[in-house]
């Protein structure tokens, strides 16, 4: 360490080091975005775009939506898939009922509709929390699925309740190809992650964390609990609603209400638990784990001798291994993959000095 003439640690040097690290992180992020927007569309194939990259990006966005509510504001929820469904079906109906409405406007309005629904189901958070709040948001999961199935208007009176993606056209450019859907998804996700990162660094984000740590103390110092909690539900629903629209339009192409069932809510919850609560980077790491690890298990199972495992039991075995590894990982690293990545970076920076 460096010391000044009085023998005290140089604060200016420490500040310069932090500034250097910040610039380093920004340069790395710019290079990563340039690689994702410029290089990947030319080197990737249709399978990577349709089966890996698009679901990874959409699930990362869904994880961000839930992380704003649970990781930063401390409000537990199991209604993520319900808000995704509201966003998807609302965006579909806005595009259908308002001819000529731009695609991006439909996505935005779908997110706003999901935000309003999330606020309604977030009202009990003013009185209850913890397990009881989970039950309240779980009610949203079942109610939304029932409503979208019961009333045919939401699916334009489709007999099976299925909605199809509208033409993926923006300013005359067609994004219906696999690489086009990837670029559309990447652009929306990048913009919303920029918004989410600025939100958690704002006064609102600090209020969320104060409510998360101790809501009684937050109320004593003047933080409005009603406004803070409902804004957390609204913004979480907005992000989840747009994620649901992208899931339906750019990934699946067609979707029914049961495509946003309770399993999807658990999937989003596992993403933020594995990635790290209260972490922006953790949403990407958790989504990557949820998308890539099952594919790895499938490839390993395919490499086994034929007949060693009954094909009917293969899926159950994969779920068992997946669940066991999640439990083992949470015991070993409860703060998630984001914390593990941070530790690796710290060790890499100290490595030349320690060895």
């Amino acid at each position: 360490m460096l010391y000044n003439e009085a023998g005290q640690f140089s604060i200016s040097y420490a500040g310069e080091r932090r500034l250097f690290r910040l610039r380093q992180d920004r340069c790395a992020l710019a290079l990563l975005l340039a690689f994702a927007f410029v290089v990947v569309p030319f080197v990737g194939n249709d399978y990577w775009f349709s089966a890996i990259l698009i679901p990874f990006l959409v699930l990362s966005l869904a994880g961000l939506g839930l992380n704003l509510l649970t990781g930063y504001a401390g409000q537990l929820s199991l209604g993520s898939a319900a808000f995704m469904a509201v966003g998807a079906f609302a965006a579909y109906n806005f595009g259908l009922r308002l001819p000529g409405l731009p695609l991006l406007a439909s996505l935005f309005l779908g997110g706003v509709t999901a935000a309003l629904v999330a606020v309604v189901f977030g009202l009990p958070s003013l009185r209850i929390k913890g397990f009881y709040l989970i039950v309240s948001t779980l009610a949203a999961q079942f109610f939304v699925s029932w409503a979208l199935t019961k009333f045919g208007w939401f699916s334009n009176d489709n007999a099976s309740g299925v909605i199809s993606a509208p033409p993926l056209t923006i300013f005359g450019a067609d994004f219906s190809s696999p690489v086009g859907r990837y670029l559309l998804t990447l652009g929306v996700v990048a913009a919303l992650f920029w918004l989410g990162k600025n939100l958690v660094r704002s006064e609102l984000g600090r209020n969320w964390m104060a409510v998360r740590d101790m809501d009684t103390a937050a109320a004593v110092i003047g933080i409005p609990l009603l406004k803070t909690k409902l804004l957390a539900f609204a913004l979480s629903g907005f992000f989840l609603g747009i994620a649901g629209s992208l899931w339906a339009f750019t990934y699946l192409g067609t979707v029914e209400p049961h495509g946003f069932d309770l399993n999807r809510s658990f999937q989003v919850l596992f993403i933020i638990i594995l990635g790290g609560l209260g972490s922006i980077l953790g949403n990407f790491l958790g989504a990557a784990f949820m998308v890539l690890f099952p594919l790895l298990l499938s490839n390993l199972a395919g490499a086994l001798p034929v007949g060693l495992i009954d094909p009917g039991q293969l899926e159950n075995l994969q779920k068992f291994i997946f669940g066991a590894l999640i439990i083992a990982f949470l015991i070993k690293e409860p703060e998630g993959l984001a914390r593990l990545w941070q530790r690796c970076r710290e060790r890499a920076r100290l490595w030349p000095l320690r060895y």
Side-chain angles (χ1 to χ4, degrees):
M1 294 188 296
L2 295 183
Y3 294 84
N4 56 21
E5 295 179 355
Q8 298 174 339
F9 179 68
S10 175
I11 299 177
S12 61
Y13 174 72
E16 289 177 0
R17 288 193 63 185
R18 287 195 296 268
L19 183 60
F20 173 75
R21 290 178 181 178
L22 180 60
R23 290 175 178 174
Q24 206 175 31
D25 292 341
R26 288 180 176 177
C27 290
L29 178 60
L31 290 175
L32 182 62
L33 286 175
F35 179 81
F37 276 102
V38 179
V39 179
V40 172
F42 291 98
V43 300
N45 54 43
D46 290 354
Y47 172 77
W48 274 87
F49 292 134
S50 300
I52 297 178
L53 293 177
I54 293 177
F56 159 70
L57 291 170
V58 177
L59 290 176
S60 299
L61 179 59
L64 174 62
L66 182 59
N67 223 335
L68 292 177
L69 180 63
T70 302
Y72 287 98
Q75 308 302 303
L76 304 180
S77 173
L78 271 179
S80 304
F83 305 140
M84 292 176 69
V86 170
F89 277 79
Y92 168 79
N93 278 281
F94 276 117
L96 180 68
R97 316 293 175 184
L98 301 175
L101 185 69
L103 176 63
L104 294 180
S106 298
L107 296 178
F108 175 79
L109 292 174
V112 171
T113 305
L116 296 175
V117 174
V119 168
V120 172
F121 286 98
L123 288 173
S125 67
L126 307 177
R127 293 288 184 181
I128 60 177
K129 57 184 177 180
F131 173 77
Y132 300 100
L133 184 57
I134 289 180
V135 175
S136 174
T137 56
L138 189 61
Q141 184 65 54
F142 296 112
F143 175 79
V144 169
S145 179
W146 170 81
L148 295 178
T149 305
K150 177 69 175 179
F151 302 102
W153 182 87
F154 293 111
S155 58
N156 198 27
D157 295 319
N158 186 284
S160 56
V162 176
I163 61 173
S164 300
L168 302 180
T169 305
I170 301 177
F171 301 118
D174 184 19
F175 289 87
S176 60
S177 65
V179 64
R181 289 185 283 112
Y182 161 74
L183 289 173
L184 171 60
T185 306
L186 178 61
V188 174
V189 170
L192 290 178
F193 263 89
W194 175 83
L195 175 61
K197 189 172 183 178
N198 283 279
L199 278 173
V200 300
R201 290 182 173 181
S202 66
E203 181 182 358
L204 177 60
R206 292 190 292 271
N207 290 346
W208 283 343
M209 288 180 271
V211 172
R212 175 196 64 191
D213 295 338
M214 187 175 292
D215 55 356
T216 304
V220 169
I221 63 176
I223 295 177
L225 297 185
L226 171 64
K227 177 182 177 182
T228 303
K229 289 184 177 181
L230 291 185
L231 276 176
F233 272 95
L235 290 169
S236 173
F238 178 77
F239 281 74
L240 286 166
I242 296 182
S245 300
L246 295 175
W247 186 264
F249 299 163
T250 63
Y251 175 48
L252 296 178
T254 60
V255 70
E256 59 180 352
H258 295 295
F260 299 101
D261 57 5
L262 186 59
N263 290 332
R264 189 72 59 212
S265 292
F266 277 114
Q267 185 182 33
V268 179
L269 179 63
F270 290 154
I271 286 173
I272 68 170
I273 291 176
L274 289 171
L277 293 172
S279 169
I280 297 294
L281 176 63
N283 301 301
F284 288 109
L285 299 178
F289 185 90
M290 294 296 292
V291 171
L292 295 177
F293 192 72
L295 294 176
L296 176 62
L297 290 180
S298 299
N299 292 332
L300 291 177
L304 296 176
V306 179
L308 183 62
I309 300 178
D310 182 15
Q313 299 297 325
L314 181 59
E315 183 177 356
N316 293 330
L317 180 61
Q318 290 177 355
K319 291 180 179 179
F320 172 80
I321 296 175
F322 187 69
L325 286 175
I326 289 178
I327 294 173
F329 179 81
L330 291 178
I331 294 174
K332 181 66 177 177
E333 186 52 77
E335 296 184 20
L337 291 168
R339 178 58 179 166
L340 186 62
W341 170 257
Q342 184 179 358
R343 288 179 180 176
C344 291
R345 289 187 61 186
E346 291 173 354
R347 291 177 180 177
R349 284 170 176 167
L350 295 175
W351 177 79
L353 301 177
R354 294 177 60 184
Y355 300 98

